[in-house]
Amino acid sequence: MTSQTKIQTPAAPRSCSSLMSTVRATNLVLPEIEVHLAGSSIDGQLVLNLRTTLVDPVVKVELMGRGYLRWLEEENPEREYDKSTACTNQVVYISEATNFHIEDGWLDSGVHTFDFHFSLPPNIPSTFISKVGSISYLVQGTCSSRQIVLAKEERCLLSQGTGDHRRHMKDIAPLVVEVRKDVVYFCCFSHGSVILRISLEKRVFCPGETIVFMTDIANRTCKYVRKVIFAIYSIVLYRGFSSRGEQRSLEERSEVTRLESQTDTAPFEAMRVTSALVLPTPMPVTSTLKENKIMAFRYELVGTSDITCATSTIVGRVPIII
């Protein structure tokens, strides 16, 4: 709290309008950290600049983390008219508050600084936003008097969950996925095949890490394999409840990051391509509904290539753990 010496007596009670003009400015000062890891500490300050003396102040800083989801679902698809119901769910991951003791029950005009400290729980999930759901964290500082909020400041936090890496230690072994696609060229009635083989040295990765992998292309057709598109996809399973309290679930698939690799593999030739994809941060770690309560996350590395002059597409899917 402020170390400023108080040299004046509290002012007489004032009206609501005069109270609202008491706070000249408020500011939350947080560490210059882009992403906060689960289990880490947050040390900051709430700075109040008062225009006049404030009597009976309540100064508070809160750390809040919540998950929320909502989607619409048809009640009876067999009916001729559309009628949908909202499926929702929410959870509180963290809710802590620091209430500052105000000596003598008043603050004089000038700048007052209040130091605060919070610790993020080690098992909270990462910040996440989609069309269906969100997981968000914020620090909020408020200054009130006589149940009237005079000033409020909020700052969003990006949080990175860490998960339980010990649970996935057995999955660190190298991983190879091979797929074959038989091709028929309708223009010349010829046949062939393409084999796509994707190799990873491991299958457990951390957010922000670079995934390096090799792709072997065996082109047994009379056409070129021009390119392969690689992408990381997240598959999110949401669990909510209808207005009647019935449990509902929804699975959503979205692209996290992608890379387009020009291969130009000639007819009846083979080629090896080394590629790299950088994972973003923050990002949710692989989890279950039991861990995140309303959402579960899993991931795939997908390689896709269209076969020239054919109606075929070869797709290789490699499950990975974040």
Side-chain angles (χ1 to χ4, degrees):
M1 195 169 31
T2 177
S3 59
Q4 181 176 342
T5 304
K6 300 176 181 178
I7 58 175
Q8 62 186 75
T9 57
R14 289 169 288 162
S15 64
C16 290
S17 58
S18 61
L19 275 175
M20 297 298 288
S21 62
T22 298
V23 181
R24 178 181 283 115
T26 180
N27 184 34
L28 274 172
V29 181
L30 296 175
E32 295 183 2
I33 300 174
E34 185 176 352
V35 179
H36 297 265
L37 287 177
S40 64
S41 298
I42 301 173
D43 295 294
Q45 294 179 329
L46 175 63
V47 182
L48 292 178
N49 189 346
L50 301 182
R51 185 176 284 107
T52 59
T53 301
L54 180 60
V55 181
D56 297 329
V58 177
V59 181
K60 179 170 62 174
V61 177
E62 298 173 273
L63 171 62
M64 294 173 283
R66 296 188 177 96
Y68 176 80
L69 57 86
R70 183 181 188 274
W71 76 89
L72 295 178
E73 194 173 273
E74 289 186 41
E75 286 191 354
N76 192 341
E78 297 179 358
R79 293 177 179 174
E80 295 181 357
Y81 57 90
D82 293 331
K83 186 177 181 181
S84 24
T85 182
C87 299
T88 61
N89 206 347
Q90 58 184 335
V91 64
V92 176
Y93 293 112
I94 182 172
S95 179
E96 295 185 7
T98 297
N99 290 274
F100 298 99
H101 172 70
I102 307 301
E103 187 179 351
D104 300 329
W106 59 279
L107 293 172
D108 57 12
S109 60
V111 177
H112 302 264
T113 302
F114 302 87
D115 298 319
F116 61 86
H117 171 88
F118 290 114
S119 294
L120 291 170
N123 58 345
I124 59 172
S126 305
T127 300
F128 173 75
I129 298 177
S130 74
K131 294 179 181 179
V132 176
S134 66
I135 298 173
S136 60
Y137 301 88
L138 64 86
V139 175
Q140 177 180 275
T142 57
C143 176
S144 309
S145 181
R146 299 170 191 151
Q147 298 183 341
I148 300 173
V149 178
L150 308 178
K152 180 169 67 173
E153 173 113 3
E154 292 182 351
R155 295 282 296 277
C156 292
L157 298 178
L158 293 179
S159 174
Q160 174 60 63
T162 55
D164 185 3
H165 296 292
R166 293 171 298 178
R167 180 162 57 93
H168 302 301
M169 290 301 294
K170 65 181 184 300
D171 298 309
I172 297 181
L175 182 66
V176 178
V177 171
E178 181 176 295
V179 291
R180 172 186 174 130
K181 185 70 175 182
D182 293 322
V183 179
V184 177
Y185 291 95
F186 294 102
C187 58
C188 53
F189 300 102
S190 61
H191 298 260
S193 65
V194 175
I195 298 175
L196 198 66
R197 180 186 174 96
I198 303 176
S199 307
L200 288 84
E201 292 185 354
K202 60 177 183 176
R203 63 178 299 186
V204 181
F205 302 91
C206 295
E209 189 175 353
T210 299
I211 300 178
V212 179
F213 54 96
M214 291 184 300
T215 306
D216 292 290
I217 305 169
N219 182 12
R220 299 171 182 173
T221 71
C222 59
K223 301 294 182 180
Y224 276 83
V225 177
R226 295 294 184 184
K227 65 181 178 181
V228 180
I229 298 175
F230 301 101
I232 301 291
Y233 286 91
S234 69
I235 301 95
V236 187
L237 178 64
Y238 301 98
R239 181 175 64 184
F241 294 90
S242 68
S243 56
R244 297 190 182 95
E246 301 167 327
Q247 187 169 300
R248 293 286 188 267
S249 62
L250 175 70
E251 190 170 274
E252 181 186 49
R253 183 183 182 89
S254 60
E255 185 179 289
V256 176
T257 184
R258 70 154 43 199
L259 169 70
E260 185 174 304
S261 180
Q262 297 292 332
T263 59
D264 290 327
T265 308
F268 304 102
E269 295 288 341
M271 176 178 285
R272 169 169 287 185
V273 179
T274 301
S275 307
L277 282 168
V278 180
L279 295 173
T281 182
M283 69 181 298
V285 297
T286 301
S287 60
T288 63
L289 283 172
K290 183 178 179 180
E291 292 169 311
N292 286 352
K293 300 180 177 140
I294 62 175
M295 306 179 195
F297 295 88
R298 58 188 178 91
Y299 294 89
E300 283 183 343
L301 166 63
V302 180
T304 307
S305 180
D306 293 325
I307 312 302
T308 307
C309 299
T311 58
S312 300
T313 299
I314 184 169
V315 180
R317 302 182 184 276
V318 186
I320 60 174
I321 297 169
I322 306 298

